[in-house]
Amino acid sequence: MITAETNPIAIKKKGNRSLEISWEDGHVSLYSFRYLRQNCSCAGCVEEWTGKKVLDKDVIPLDLLGLKAATTGNYALSFSFSDHHDTGIYHFDHLREICPCVICKE
Ligand SMILES: [Zn+2]
Ligand SMILES: [Zn+2]
């Protein structure tokens, strides 16, 4: 379900390295594409049945770039990363959940 907290009103690429999402409740999230890549939940990165991460976060290059960002339906985003990975679907509620800002980390 989309609430104000999980409803993006603006999605902006900030150069090739980060993405900014403004949410309807006024919160702004800034993600590096590397961080998004590390949190990919596609079948290749997370075990489908156990939810266990099979992706080793450290193998993601420090200089990873985001080549493309696109909305999927009206509930998710998908990205093309410079390591040729593009199978992840990032639901808005998941994106809000992994917001890396200090307020959300607390
Ligand atoms: Zn993945
Ligand atoms: Zn936040």
Side-chain angles (χ1 to χ4, degrees):
M1 200 184 76
I2 302 270
T3 63
E5 258 187 26
T6 55
N7 184 34
I9 50 169
I11 301 165
K12 272 185 277 187
K13 251 178 100 179
K14 297 238 157 188
N16 287 323
R17 287 179 196 265
S18 44
L19 183 90
E20 185 187 87
I21 301 180
S22 307
W23 305 97
E24 198 188 331
D25 68 344
H27 197 72
V28 177
S29 305
L30 186 67
Y31 310 89
S32 71
F33 280 110
R34 182 170 191 259
Y35 177 77
L36 291 171
R37 174 67 187 89
Q38 287 174 326
N39 283 280
C40 180
S41 53
C42 82
C45 297
V46 174
E47 253 177 34
E48 198 176 340
W49 300 112
T50 59
K52 198 178 136 247
K53 291 206 174 194
V54 288
L55 172 73
D56 178 1
K57 290 191 173 190
D58 296 331
V59 305
I60 308 298
L62 280 167
D63 59 353
L64 185 88
L65 305 177
L67 306 178
K68 236 198 275 175
T71 44
T72 299
N74 53 4
Y75 59 87
L77 285 178
S78 59
F79 305 104
S80 266
F81 298 105
S82 56
D83 66 350
H84 306 295
H85 198 75
D86 61 4
T87 39
I89 304 271
Y90 294 73
H91 289 244
F92 291 136
D93 54 355
H94 177 60
L95 284 167
R96 179 63 191 251
E97 204 181 288
I98 63 169
C99 175
C101 84
V102 280
I103 304 163
C104 296
K105 283 263 176 198
E106 269 173 10

